[in-house]
Amino acid sequence: MTQLQEATAFIQKQLSEKPHVGLILGSGLGMLADEIEHPVKIKYDVIPGFPVSTVEGHAGQLVIGELEGISVIAMQGRFHFYEGYGLDAVTFPVRVMKQLGVEKLFVTNAAGGVNESFEPGNLMLITDHINNTGQNPLMGPNDNEQGVRFPDLSQAYDRKLQGLAKDVAEELSLDLKTGVYVWNTGPTYETPAEIKMLQKVGGDAVGMSTVPEVIVARHVGLDVLGISCISNMAAGILDQPLNHEEVIETTEKVREDFLRFVKTILGKVNA
Ligand code: HPA
């Protein structure tokens, strides 16, 4: 058996139902998984082939169950490239989700606001991304069973899911921003000069995750919804230093908005 088959079989044994939606929960946003009903929780470190998360604020487990009547599998904590994992490891859980039967992937993250009209605490619907790293999880031999050699990313973020998210934001009177997410490797935050550059090339938010998972999700044919929580203004926009504590504090403040938003979308995803 391959590692992918082993991990899938290991998780499948503990499930009674096929998960329909995958959720990847970013820094400070893991509490969404605490709302899952009849949860089966599986720590990453017991799953064959799974890496183990090391970053503060990342619990490191799969939580599988029902949310708003939908069968979901959530990653409470994700793997980051800056932790030293290869992109194979970073994106392995997405491949496992696909094998488990997931059709839609909701990816979330905390991100710095590059667009100066944003404010910390805003939620941003990701409409597209810029891979600013020169890295790609699909480099190397292609497994044609998983997906094509040259995947199309012209609609990486599913238009129908974007439409649904916008409708839900309106229904909830939520000031939903939209924009382009830029992936940098981290772990340093950017310099003010880098942020000026990202503004010029069309970035609206910047972070250290999400893009590799989205690329692999598209490779295996999952429909993707991406949501950034703007946790801080990016470097140089306000005259103040950035720190991880601020990122976590802001995500905790938008917790209620974020929970309501994602749960309401989930409740309508099959409608
Ligand atoms: N830059 C990069 N990643 C981030 C930021 C930022 O300003 N905030 C949260 N994640």
Side-chain angles (χ1 to χ4, degrees), residues 4 24 87-98 105 107 129 136-139 146-148 151 153 156 210-224:
L4 184 56
I24 302 183
L87 288 178
D88 278 355
V90 169
T91 58
F92 183 73
V94 177
R95 296 200 184 276
V96 172
M97 284 183 184
K98 168 71 182 182
L105 181 67
V107 283
H129 72 230
N136 195 300
L138 302 182
M139 285 201 283
Q146 296 260 317
V148 297
L153 292 182
T210 301
V211 167
E213 292 110 312
V214 170
I215 289 173
V216 168
R218 293 308 302 144
H219 188 232
V220 298
L222 302 181
D223 293 336
V224 175

PDB file of all heavy atoms in Angstrom, residues 4 24 87-98 105 107 129 136-139 146-148 151 153 156 210-224:
ATOM      1  N   LEU A   4      -0.442   7.110   0.965  1.00  0.00           N
ATOM      2  CA  LEU A   4      -1.755   7.744   0.788  1.00  0.00           C
ATOM      3  C   LEU A   4      -2.871   6.737   1.085  1.00  0.00           C
ATOM      4  O   LEU A   4      -3.830   7.047   1.802  1.00  0.00           O
ATOM      5  CB  LEU A   4      -1.862   8.279  -0.654  1.00  0.00           C
ATOM      6  CG  LEU A   4      -3.117   9.047  -1.020  1.00  0.00           C
ATOM      7  CD1 LEU A   4      -3.355  10.233  -0.098  1.00  0.00           C
ATOM      8  CD2 LEU A   4      -3.052   9.525  -2.476  1.00  0.00           C
ATOM      9  N   ILE A  24      -9.770  23.498   6.116  1.00  0.00           N
ATOM     10  CA  ILE A  24      -8.417  23.712   6.647  1.00  0.00           C
ATOM     11  C   ILE A  24      -8.453  25.011   7.424  1.00  0.00           C
ATOM     12  O   ILE A  24      -8.765  26.074   6.875  1.00  0.00           O
ATOM     13  CB  ILE A  24      -7.362  23.766   5.518  1.00  0.00           C
ATOM     14  CG1 ILE A  24      -7.388  22.463   4.701  1.00  0.00           C
ATOM     15  CG2 ILE A  24      -5.967  23.996   6.117  1.00  0.00           C
ATOM     16  CD1 ILE A  24      -6.325  22.374   3.608  1.00  0.00           C
ATOM     17  N   LEU A  87       6.785  20.322   0.425  1.00  0.00           N
ATOM     18  CA  LEU A  87       5.416  20.628  -0.016  1.00  0.00           C
ATOM     19  C   LEU A  87       4.574  19.361  -0.198  1.00  0.00           C
ATOM     20  O   LEU A  87       3.349  19.410  -0.156  1.00  0.00           O
ATOM     21  CB  LEU A  87       5.435  21.471  -1.289  1.00  0.00           C
ATOM     22  CG  LEU A  87       5.893  22.925  -1.059  1.00  0.00           C
ATOM     23  CD1 LEU A  87       5.939  23.687  -2.373  1.00  0.00           C
ATOM     24  CD2 LEU A  87       4.981  23.639  -0.061  1.00  0.00           C
ATOM     25  N   ASP A  88       5.235  18.213  -0.387  1.00  0.00           N
ATOM     26  CA  ASP A  88       4.516  16.931  -0.413  1.00  0.00           C
ATOM     27  C   ASP A  88       3.799  16.718   0.913  1.00  0.00           C
ATOM     28  O   ASP A  88       2.641  16.317   0.956  1.00  0.00           O
ATOM     29  CB  ASP A  88       5.499  15.757  -0.573  1.00  0.00           C
ATOM     30  CG  ASP A  88       5.899  15.548  -2.012  1.00  0.00           C
ATOM     31  OD1 ASP A  88       5.348  16.253  -2.885  1.00  0.00           O
ATOM     32  OD2 ASP A  88       6.769  14.689  -2.250  1.00  0.00           O
ATOM     33  N   ALA A  89       4.543  16.992   2.004  1.00  0.00           N
ATOM     34  CA  ALA A  89       3.984  16.803   3.339  1.00  0.00           C
ATOM     35  C   ALA A  89       2.902  17.846   3.623  1.00  0.00           C
ATOM     36  O   ALA A  89       1.831  17.530   4.155  1.00  0.00           O
ATOM     37  CB  ALA A  89       5.090  16.891   4.383  1.00  0.00           C
ATOM     38  N   VAL A  90       3.179  19.085   3.233  1.00  0.00           N
ATOM     39  CA  VAL A  90       2.226  20.177   3.477  1.00  0.00           C
ATOM     40  C   VAL A  90       0.862  19.862   2.839  1.00  0.00           C
ATOM     41  O   VAL A  90      -0.185  20.183   3.397  1.00  0.00           O
ATOM     42  CB  VAL A  90       2.786  21.513   2.911  1.00  0.00           C
ATOM     43  CG1 VAL A  90       1.727  22.602   2.889  1.00  0.00           C
ATOM     44  CG2 VAL A  90       4.008  21.961   3.722  1.00  0.00           C
ATOM     45  N   THR A  91       0.901  19.223   1.677  1.00  0.00           N
ATOM     46  CA  THR A  91      -0.335  19.022   0.913  1.00  0.00           C
ATOM     47  C   THR A  91      -0.886  17.600   1.006  1.00  0.00           C
ATOM     48  O   THR A  91      -1.950  17.315   0.462  1.00  0.00           O
ATOM     49  CB  THR A  91      -0.090  19.348  -0.576  1.00  0.00           C
ATOM     50  OG1 THR A  91       0.973  18.501  -1.061  1.00  0.00           O
ATOM     51  CG2 THR A  91       0.311  20.799  -0.767  1.00  0.00           C
ATOM     52  N   PHE A  92      -0.176  16.726   1.711  1.00  0.00           N
ATOM     53  CA  PHE A  92      -0.604  15.334   1.844  1.00  0.00           C
ATOM     54  C   PHE A  92      -2.051  15.214   2.361  1.00  0.00           C
ATOM     55  O   PHE A  92      -2.851  14.436   1.810  1.00  0.00           O
ATOM     56  CB  PHE A  92       0.386  14.582   2.753  1.00  0.00           C
ATOM     57  CG  PHE A  92       0.117  13.127   2.917  1.00  0.00           C
ATOM     58  CD1 PHE A  92       0.366  12.231   1.884  1.00  0.00           C
ATOM     59  CD2 PHE A  92      -0.387  12.627   4.111  1.00  0.00           C
ATOM     60  CE1 PHE A  92       0.124  10.868   2.035  1.00  0.00           C
ATOM     61  CE2 PHE A  92      -0.636  11.269   4.280  1.00  0.00           C
ATOM     62  CZ  PHE A  92      -0.383  10.393   3.247  1.00  0.00           C
ATOM     63  N   PRO A  93      -2.415  15.998   3.399  1.00  0.00           N
ATOM     64  CA  PRO A  93      -3.790  15.872   3.916  1.00  0.00           C
ATOM     65  C   PRO A  93      -4.864  16.182   2.870  1.00  0.00           C
ATOM     66  O   PRO A  93      -5.961  15.626   2.928  1.00  0.00           O
ATOM     67  CB  PRO A  93      -3.831  16.909   5.052  1.00  0.00           C
ATOM     68  CG  PRO A  93      -2.407  17.078   5.477  1.00  0.00           C
ATOM     69  CD  PRO A  93      -1.600  16.931   4.221  1.00  0.00           C
ATOM     70  N   VAL A  94      -4.544  17.050   1.916  1.00  0.00           N
ATOM     71  CA  VAL A  94      -5.532  17.367   0.869  1.00  0.00           C
ATOM     72  C   VAL A  94      -5.756  16.137  -0.014  1.00  0.00           C
ATOM     73  O   VAL A  94      -6.894  15.813  -0.378  1.00  0.00           O
ATOM     74  CB  VAL A  94      -5.075  18.573   0.012  1.00  0.00           C
ATOM     75  CG1 VAL A  94      -6.061  18.845  -1.111  1.00  0.00           C
ATOM     76  CG2 VAL A  94      -4.896  19.813   0.888  1.00  0.00           C
ATOM     77  N   ARG A  95      -4.679  15.443  -0.310  1.00  0.00           N
ATOM     78  CA  ARG A  95      -4.810  14.218  -1.114  1.00  0.00           C
ATOM     79  C   ARG A  95      -5.600  13.154  -0.349  1.00  0.00           C
ATOM     80  O   ARG A  95      -6.403  12.430  -0.913  1.00  0.00           O
ATOM     81  CB  ARG A  95      -3.428  13.691  -1.508  1.00  0.00           C
ATOM     82  CG  ARG A  95      -2.664  14.649  -2.423  1.00  0.00           C
ATOM     83  CD  ARG A  95      -1.544  13.976  -3.190  1.00  0.00           C
ATOM     84  NE  ARG A  95      -0.800  14.950  -3.975  1.00  0.00           N
ATOM     85  CZ  ARG A  95      -1.170  15.379  -5.194  1.00  0.00           C
ATOM     86  NH1 ARG A  95      -2.266  14.900  -5.764  1.00  0.00           N
ATOM     87  NH2 ARG A  95      -0.446  16.279  -5.822  1.00  0.00           N
ATOM     88  N   VAL A  96      -5.363  13.084   0.966  1.00  0.00           N
ATOM     89  CA  VAL A  96      -6.112  12.130   1.792  1.00  0.00           C
ATOM     90  C   VAL A  96      -7.598  12.486   1.786  1.00  0.00           C
ATOM     91  O   VAL A  96      -8.463  11.617   1.635  1.00  0.00           O
ATOM     92  CB  VAL A  96      -5.559  12.095   3.236  1.00  0.00           C
ATOM     93  CG1 VAL A  96      -6.442  11.253   4.146  1.00  0.00           C
ATOM     94  CG2 VAL A  96      -4.119  11.565   3.248  1.00  0.00           C
ATOM     95  N   MET A  97      -7.893  13.781   1.927  1.00  0.00           N
ATOM     96  CA  MET A  97      -9.307  14.208   1.908  1.00  0.00           C
ATOM     97  C   MET A  97      -9.980  13.769   0.618  1.00  0.00           C
ATOM     98  O   MET A  97     -11.111  13.284   0.626  1.00  0.00           O
ATOM     99  CB  MET A  97      -9.392  15.725   2.049  1.00  0.00           C
ATOM    100  CG  MET A  97      -9.148  16.236   3.461  1.00  0.00           C
ATOM    101  SD  MET A  97      -9.367  18.035   3.469  1.00  0.00           S
ATOM    102  CE  MET A  97      -8.932  18.417   5.152  1.00  0.00           C
ATOM    103  N   LYS A  98      -9.301  13.960  -0.490  1.00  0.00           N
ATOM    104  CA  LYS A  98      -9.850  13.549  -1.784  1.00  0.00           C
ATOM    105  C   LYS A  98     -10.153  12.047  -1.784  1.00  0.00           C
ATOM    106  O   LYS A  98     -11.234  11.607  -2.188  1.00  0.00           O
ATOM    107  CB  LYS A  98      -8.852  13.903  -2.901  1.00  0.00           C
ATOM    108  CG  LYS A  98      -9.158  13.292  -4.247  1.00  0.00           C
ATOM    109  CD  LYS A  98     -10.370  13.924  -4.907  1.00  0.00           C
ATOM    110  CE  LYS A  98     -10.658  13.242  -6.240  1.00  0.00           C
ATOM    111  NZ  LYS A  98     -11.800  13.870  -6.929  1.00  0.00           N
ATOM    112  N   LEU A 105     -13.347  21.965  -0.791  1.00  0.00           N
ATOM    113  CA  LEU A 105     -12.365  22.294   0.239  1.00  0.00           C
ATOM    114  C   LEU A 105     -12.477  23.766   0.600  1.00  0.00           C
ATOM    115  O   LEU A 105     -12.380  24.637  -0.271  1.00  0.00           O
ATOM    116  CB  LEU A 105     -10.946  21.989  -0.271  1.00  0.00           C
ATOM    117  CG  LEU A 105      -9.822  22.266   0.723  1.00  0.00           C
ATOM    118  CD1 LEU A 105      -9.892  21.300   1.905  1.00  0.00           C
ATOM    119  CD2 LEU A 105      -8.451  22.143   0.040  1.00  0.00           C
ATOM    120  N   VAL A 107     -10.576  26.577   2.520  1.00  0.00           N
ATOM    121  CA  VAL A 107      -9.276  26.873   3.127  1.00  0.00           C
ATOM    122  C   VAL A 107      -9.339  28.238   3.782  1.00  0.00           C
ATOM    123  O   VAL A 107      -9.868  29.197   3.214  1.00  0.00           O
ATOM    124  CB  VAL A 107      -8.119  26.861   2.100  1.00  0.00           C
ATOM    125  CG1 VAL A 107      -7.725  25.459   1.743  1.00  0.00           C
ATOM    126  CG2 VAL A 107      -8.452  27.639   0.871  1.00  0.00           C
ATOM    127  N   HIS A 129      -4.942  33.936  -6.518  1.00  0.00           N
ATOM    128  CA  HIS A 129      -3.722  34.037  -5.714  1.00  0.00           C
ATOM    129  C   HIS A 129      -2.499  34.327  -6.574  1.00  0.00           C
ATOM    130  O   HIS A 129      -2.527  34.166  -7.795  1.00  0.00           O
ATOM    131  CB  HIS A 129      -3.516  32.781  -4.847  1.00  0.00           C
ATOM    132  CG  HIS A 129      -3.102  31.536  -5.578  1.00  0.00           C
ATOM    133  ND1 HIS A 129      -3.737  30.323  -5.402  1.00  0.00           N
ATOM    134  CD2 HIS A 129      -2.116  31.298  -6.471  1.00  0.00           C
ATOM    135  CE1 HIS A 129      -3.148  29.414  -6.151  1.00  0.00           C
ATOM    136  NE2 HIS A 129      -2.166  29.968  -6.821  1.00  0.00           N
ATOM    137  N   ASN A 136       6.479  24.893  -5.991  1.00  0.00           N
ATOM    138  CA  ASN A 136       5.191  24.343  -6.412  1.00  0.00           C
ATOM    139  C   ASN A 136       5.100  22.893  -5.934  1.00  0.00           C
ATOM    140  O   ASN A 136       6.034  22.122  -6.152  1.00  0.00           O
ATOM    141  CB  ASN A 136       5.055  24.434  -7.944  1.00  0.00           C
ATOM    142  CG  ASN A 136       3.624  24.220  -8.400  1.00  0.00           C
ATOM    143  OD1 ASN A 136       3.038  23.169  -8.151  1.00  0.00           O
ATOM    144  ND2 ASN A 136       3.050  25.227  -9.040  1.00  0.00           N
ATOM    145  N   PRO A 137       3.989  22.540  -5.282  1.00  0.00           N
ATOM    146  CA  PRO A 137       3.877  21.180  -4.738  1.00  0.00           C
ATOM    147  C   PRO A 137       3.796  20.111  -5.828  1.00  0.00           C
ATOM    148  O   PRO A 137       3.936  18.920  -5.526  1.00  0.00           O
ATOM    149  CB  PRO A 137       2.574  21.224  -3.926  1.00  0.00           C
ATOM    150  CG  PRO A 137       1.804  22.356  -4.507  1.00  0.00           C
ATOM    151  CD  PRO A 137       2.814  23.358  -4.968  1.00  0.00           C
ATOM    152  N   LEU A 138       3.565  20.503  -7.060  1.00  0.00           N
ATOM    153  CA  LEU A 138       3.408  19.504  -8.132  1.00  0.00           C
ATOM    154  C   LEU A 138       4.705  19.260  -8.895  1.00  0.00           C
ATOM    155  O   LEU A 138       4.722  18.479  -9.862  1.00  0.00           O
ATOM    156  CB  LEU A 138       2.290  19.927  -9.101  1.00  0.00           C
ATOM    157  CG  LEU A 138       0.921  20.143  -8.453  1.00  0.00           C
ATOM    158  CD1 LEU A 138      -0.116  20.506  -9.514  1.00  0.00           C
ATOM    159  CD2 LEU A 138       0.466  18.902  -7.690  1.00  0.00           C
ATOM    160  N   MET A 139       5.799  19.920  -8.459  1.00  0.00           N
ATOM    161  CA  MET A 139       7.075  19.665  -9.128  1.00  0.00           C
ATOM    162  C   MET A 139       7.485  18.217  -8.879  1.00  0.00           C
ATOM    163  O   MET A 139       7.263  17.669  -7.800  1.00  0.00           O
ATOM    164  CB  MET A 139       8.152  20.624  -8.614  1.00  0.00           C
ATOM    165  CG  MET A 139       7.956  22.030  -9.178  1.00  0.00           C
ATOM    166  SD  MET A 139       9.430  23.058  -9.129  1.00  0.00           S
ATOM    167  CE  MET A 139       9.471  23.525  -7.434  1.00  0.00           C
ATOM    168  N   GLN A 146      -3.929  10.945 -10.238  1.00  0.00           N
ATOM    169  CA  GLN A 146      -4.357  12.022  -9.344  1.00  0.00           C
ATOM    170  C   GLN A 146      -4.836  13.240 -10.120  1.00  0.00           C
ATOM    171  O   GLN A 146      -5.805  13.884  -9.741  1.00  0.00           O
ATOM    172  CB  GLN A 146      -3.184  12.437  -8.445  1.00  0.00           C
ATOM    173  CG  GLN A 146      -2.717  11.356  -7.504  1.00  0.00           C
ATOM    174  CD  GLN A 146      -3.251  11.546  -6.102  1.00  0.00           C
ATOM    175  OE1 GLN A 146      -3.270  12.648  -5.592  1.00  0.00           O
ATOM    176  NE2 GLN A 146      -3.710  10.486  -5.488  1.00  0.00           N
ATOM    177  N   GLY A 147      -4.145  13.561 -11.189  1.00  0.00           N
ATOM    178  CA  GLY A 147      -4.508  14.756 -11.952  1.00  0.00           C
ATOM    179  C   GLY A 147      -3.566  14.948 -13.124  1.00  0.00           C
ATOM    180  O   GLY A 147      -2.602  14.190 -13.289  1.00  0.00           O
ATOM    181  N   VAL A 148      -3.821  15.984 -13.894  1.00  0.00           N
ATOM    182  CA  VAL A 148      -3.044  16.204 -15.120  1.00  0.00           C
ATOM    183  C   VAL A 148      -1.683  16.843 -14.813  1.00  0.00           C
ATOM    184  O   VAL A 148      -1.473  17.423 -13.746  1.00  0.00           O
ATOM    185  CB  VAL A 148      -3.812  17.087 -16.142  1.00  0.00           C
ATOM    186  CG1 VAL A 148      -5.079  16.377 -16.592  1.00  0.00           C
ATOM    187  CG2 VAL A 148      -4.122  18.476 -15.571  1.00  0.00           C
ATOM    188  N   PRO A 151      -1.964  21.488 -14.618  1.00  0.00           N
ATOM    189  CA  PRO A 151      -3.313  21.887 -14.184  1.00  0.00           C
ATOM    190  C   PRO A 151      -3.618  23.358 -14.488  1.00  0.00           C
ATOM    191  O   PRO A 151      -2.745  24.220 -14.385  1.00  0.00           O
ATOM    192  CB  PRO A 151      -3.306  21.652 -12.682  1.00  0.00           C
ATOM    193  CG  PRO A 151      -2.155  20.746 -12.417  1.00  0.00           C
ATOM    194  CD  PRO A 151      -1.131  21.065 -13.477  1.00  0.00           C
ATOM    195  N   LEU A 153      -5.193  26.841 -13.602  1.00  0.00           N
ATOM    196  CA  LEU A 153      -5.543  27.584 -12.378  1.00  0.00           C
ATOM    197  C   LEU A 153      -6.318  28.861 -12.721  1.00  0.00           C
ATOM    198  O   LEU A 153      -6.342  29.799 -11.931  1.00  0.00           O
ATOM    199  CB  LEU A 153      -4.281  27.934 -11.571  1.00  0.00           C
ATOM    200  CG  LEU A 153      -3.515  26.770 -10.927  1.00  0.00           C
ATOM    201  CD1 LEU A 153      -2.320  27.297 -10.126  1.00  0.00           C
ATOM    202  CD2 LEU A 153      -4.414  25.941 -10.003  1.00  0.00           C
ATOM    203  N   ALA A 156      -9.086  28.946  -9.998  1.00  0.00           N
ATOM    204  CA  ALA A 156      -8.652  28.133  -8.853  1.00  0.00           C
ATOM    205  C   ALA A 156      -9.683  28.181  -7.726  1.00  0.00           C
ATOM    206  O   ALA A 156      -9.889  27.210  -7.002  1.00  0.00           O
ATOM    207  CB  ALA A 156      -7.293  28.608  -8.354  1.00  0.00           C
ATOM    208  N   THR A 210      -1.796  28.173   2.426  1.00  0.00           N
ATOM    209  CA  THR A 210      -2.970  28.111   1.549  1.00  0.00           C
ATOM    210  C   THR A 210      -2.705  27.772   0.091  1.00  0.00           C
ATOM    211  O   THR A 210      -3.346  26.872  -0.458  1.00  0.00           O
ATOM    212  CB  THR A 210      -3.782  29.439   1.644  1.00  0.00           C
ATOM    213  OG1 THR A 210      -4.174  29.610   3.012  1.00  0.00           O
ATOM    214  CG2 THR A 210      -5.004  29.442   0.756  1.00  0.00           C
ATOM    215  N   VAL A 211      -1.767  28.480  -0.539  1.00  0.00           N
ATOM    216  CA  VAL A 211      -1.558  28.277  -1.978  1.00  0.00           C
ATOM    217  C   VAL A 211      -1.141  26.836  -2.320  1.00  0.00           C
ATOM    218  O   VAL A 211      -1.699  26.244  -3.241  1.00  0.00           O
ATOM    219  CB  VAL A 211      -0.587  29.345  -2.540  1.00  0.00           C
ATOM    220  CG1 VAL A 211      -0.112  28.982  -3.939  1.00  0.00           C
ATOM    221  CG2 VAL A 211      -1.278  30.712  -2.538  1.00  0.00           C
ATOM    222  N   PRO A 212      -0.201  26.233  -1.560  1.00  0.00           N
ATOM    223  CA  PRO A 212       0.129  24.847  -1.915  1.00  0.00           C
ATOM    224  C   PRO A 212      -1.072  23.905  -1.799  1.00  0.00           C
ATOM    225  O   PRO A 212      -1.291  23.058  -2.677  1.00  0.00           O
ATOM    226  CB  PRO A 212       1.231  24.452  -0.919  1.00  0.00           C
ATOM    227  CG  PRO A 212       1.426  25.599   0.002  1.00  0.00           C
ATOM    228  CD  PRO A 212       0.676  26.775  -0.507  1.00  0.00           C
ATOM    229  N   GLU A 213      -1.870  24.087  -0.758  1.00  0.00           N
ATOM    230  CA  GLU A 213      -3.042  23.224  -0.585  1.00  0.00           C
ATOM    231  C   GLU A 213      -4.050  23.446  -1.718  1.00  0.00           C
ATOM    232  O   GLU A 213      -4.669  22.498  -2.207  1.00  0.00           O
ATOM    233  CB  GLU A 213      -3.727  23.495   0.760  1.00  0.00           C
ATOM    234  CG  GLU A 213      -2.897  23.082   1.991  1.00  0.00           C
ATOM    235  CD  GLU A 213      -2.386  24.278   2.773  1.00  0.00           C
ATOM    236  OE1 GLU A 213      -1.827  25.214   2.145  1.00  0.00           O
ATOM    237  OE2 GLU A 213      -2.550  24.287   4.001  1.00  0.00           O
ATOM    238  N   VAL A 214      -4.181  24.701  -2.132  1.00  0.00           N
ATOM    239  CA  VAL A 214      -5.134  25.000  -3.212  1.00  0.00           C
ATOM    240  C   VAL A 214      -4.653  24.383  -4.535  1.00  0.00           C
ATOM    241  O   VAL A 214      -5.444  23.831  -5.300  1.00  0.00           O
ATOM    242  CB  VAL A 214      -5.352  26.527  -3.348  1.00  0.00           C
ATOM    243  CG1 VAL A 214      -6.142  26.868  -4.617  1.00  0.00           C
ATOM    244  CG2 VAL A 214      -6.078  27.071  -2.121  1.00  0.00           C
ATOM    245  N   ILE A 215      -3.356  24.471  -4.778  1.00  0.00           N
ATOM    246  CA  ILE A 215      -2.811  23.893  -6.017  1.00  0.00           C
ATOM    247  C   ILE A 215      -3.095  22.385  -6.060  1.00  0.00           C
ATOM    248  O   ILE A 215      -3.573  21.849  -7.075  1.00  0.00           O
ATOM    249  CB  ILE A 215      -1.292  24.174  -6.131  1.00  0.00           C
ATOM    250  CG1 ILE A 215      -1.060  25.670  -6.408  1.00  0.00           C
ATOM    251  CG2 ILE A 215      -0.664  23.311  -7.228  1.00  0.00           C
ATOM    252  CD1 ILE A 215       0.408  26.102  -6.373  1.00  0.00           C
ATOM    253  N   VAL A 216      -2.852  21.704  -4.951  1.00  0.00           N
ATOM    254  CA  VAL A 216      -3.093  20.261  -4.931  1.00  0.00           C
ATOM    255  C   VAL A 216      -4.589  19.954  -4.992  1.00  0.00           C
ATOM    256  O   VAL A 216      -5.017  19.012  -5.670  1.00  0.00           O
ATOM    257  CB  VAL A 216      -2.407  19.605  -3.710  1.00  0.00           C
ATOM    258  CG1 VAL A 216      -2.889  18.175  -3.497  1.00  0.00           C
ATOM    259  CG2 VAL A 216      -0.891  19.625  -3.913  1.00  0.00           C
ATOM    260  N   ALA A 217      -5.386  20.771  -4.335  1.00  0.00           N
ATOM    261  CA  ALA A 217      -6.843  20.580  -4.405  1.00  0.00           C
ATOM    262  C   ALA A 217      -7.317  20.666  -5.856  1.00  0.00           C
ATOM    263  O   ALA A 217      -8.145  19.866  -6.310  1.00  0.00           O
ATOM    264  CB  ALA A 217      -7.567  21.621  -3.548  1.00  0.00           C
ATOM    265  N   ARG A 218      -6.792  21.613  -6.601  1.00  0.00           N
ATOM    266  CA  ARG A 218      -7.168  21.739  -8.013  1.00  0.00           C
ATOM    267  C   ARG A 218      -6.623  20.562  -8.816  1.00  0.00           C
ATOM    268  O   ARG A 218      -7.279  20.073  -9.719  1.00  0.00           O
ATOM    269  CB  ARG A 218      -6.677  23.081  -8.599  1.00  0.00           C
ATOM    270  CG  ARG A 218      -7.361  24.303  -8.012  1.00  0.00           C
ATOM    271  CD  ARG A 218      -8.883  24.187  -8.073  1.00  0.00           C
ATOM    272  NE  ARG A 218      -9.352  24.006  -9.444  1.00  0.00           N
ATOM    273  CZ  ARG A 218     -10.389  23.246  -9.801  1.00  0.00           C
ATOM    274  NH1 ARG A 218     -11.085  22.580  -8.902  1.00  0.00           N
ATOM    275  NH2 ARG A 218     -10.733  23.151 -11.060  1.00  0.00           N
ATOM    276  N   HIS A 219      -5.440  20.113  -8.459  1.00  0.00           N
ATOM    277  CA  HIS A 219      -4.854  18.957  -9.160  1.00  0.00           C
ATOM    278  C   HIS A 219      -5.782  17.747  -9.076  1.00  0.00           C
ATOM    279  O   HIS A 219      -5.966  17.036 -10.060  1.00  0.00           O
ATOM    280  CB  HIS A 219      -3.486  18.633  -8.534  1.00  0.00           C
ATOM    281  CG  HIS A 219      -2.694  17.605  -9.276  1.00  0.00           C
ATOM    282  ND1 HIS A 219      -2.168  16.495  -8.663  1.00  0.00           N
ATOM    283  CD2 HIS A 219      -2.328  17.505 -10.579  1.00  0.00           C
ATOM    284  CE1 HIS A 219      -1.508  15.773  -9.568  1.00  0.00           C
ATOM    285  NE2 HIS A 219      -1.589  16.367 -10.729  1.00  0.00           N
ATOM    286  N   VAL A 220      -6.372  17.536  -7.892  1.00  0.00           N
ATOM    287  CA  VAL A 220      -7.235  16.366  -7.710  1.00  0.00           C
ATOM    288  C   VAL A 220      -8.714  16.687  -7.942  1.00  0.00           C
ATOM    289  O   VAL A 220      -9.573  15.834  -7.734  1.00  0.00           O
ATOM    290  CB  VAL A 220      -7.045  15.706  -6.314  1.00  0.00           C
ATOM    291  CG1 VAL A 220      -5.611  15.204  -6.163  1.00  0.00           C
ATOM    292  CG2 VAL A 220      -7.405  16.653  -5.175  1.00  0.00           C
ATOM    293  N   GLY A 221      -9.008  17.920  -8.360  1.00  0.00           N
ATOM    294  CA  GLY A 221     -10.378  18.251  -8.784  1.00  0.00           C
ATOM    295  C   GLY A 221     -11.333  18.668  -7.686  1.00  0.00           C
ATOM    296  O   GLY A 221     -12.547  18.536  -7.850  1.00  0.00           O
ATOM    297  N   LEU A 222     -10.829  19.170  -6.567  1.00  0.00           N
ATOM    298  CA  LEU A 222     -11.733  19.686  -5.532  1.00  0.00           C
ATOM    299  C   LEU A 222     -12.132  21.121  -5.851  1.00  0.00           C
ATOM    300  O   LEU A 222     -11.323  21.898  -6.361  1.00  0.00           O
ATOM    301  CB  LEU A 222     -11.049  19.670  -4.151  1.00  0.00           C
ATOM    302  CG  LEU A 222     -10.533  18.327  -3.633  1.00  0.00           C
ATOM    303  CD1 LEU A 222      -9.921  18.508  -2.241  1.00  0.00           C
ATOM    304  CD2 LEU A 222     -11.669  17.308  -3.574  1.00  0.00           C
ATOM    305  N   ASP A 223     -13.373  21.480  -5.523  1.00  0.00           N
ATOM    306  CA  ASP A 223     -13.818  22.875  -5.640  1.00  0.00           C
ATOM    307  C   ASP A 223     -13.362  23.618  -4.395  1.00  0.00           C
ATOM    308  O   ASP A 223     -13.598  23.158  -3.275  1.00  0.00           O
ATOM    309  CB  ASP A 223     -15.347  22.955  -5.708  1.00  0.00           C
ATOM    310  CG  ASP A 223     -15.874  22.351  -6.994  1.00  0.00           C
ATOM    311  OD1 ASP A 223     -15.123  22.302  -7.984  1.00  0.00           O
ATOM    312  OD2 ASP A 223     -17.042  21.898  -6.993  1.00  0.00           O
ATOM    313  N   VAL A 224     -12.730  24.765  -4.590  1.00  0.00           N
ATOM    314  CA  VAL A 224     -12.096  25.465  -3.466  1.00  0.00           C
ATOM    315  C   VAL A 224     -12.814  26.767  -3.122  1.00  0.00           C
ATOM    316  O   VAL A 224     -13.171  27.553  -4.004  1.00  0.00           O
ATOM    317  CB  VAL A 224     -10.626  25.794  -3.814  1.00  0.00           C
ATOM    318  CG1 VAL A 224      -9.978  26.631  -2.707  1.00  0.00           C
ATOM    319  CG2 VAL A 224      -9.814  24.520  -4.058  1.00  0.00           C
TER     320      VAL A 224
END
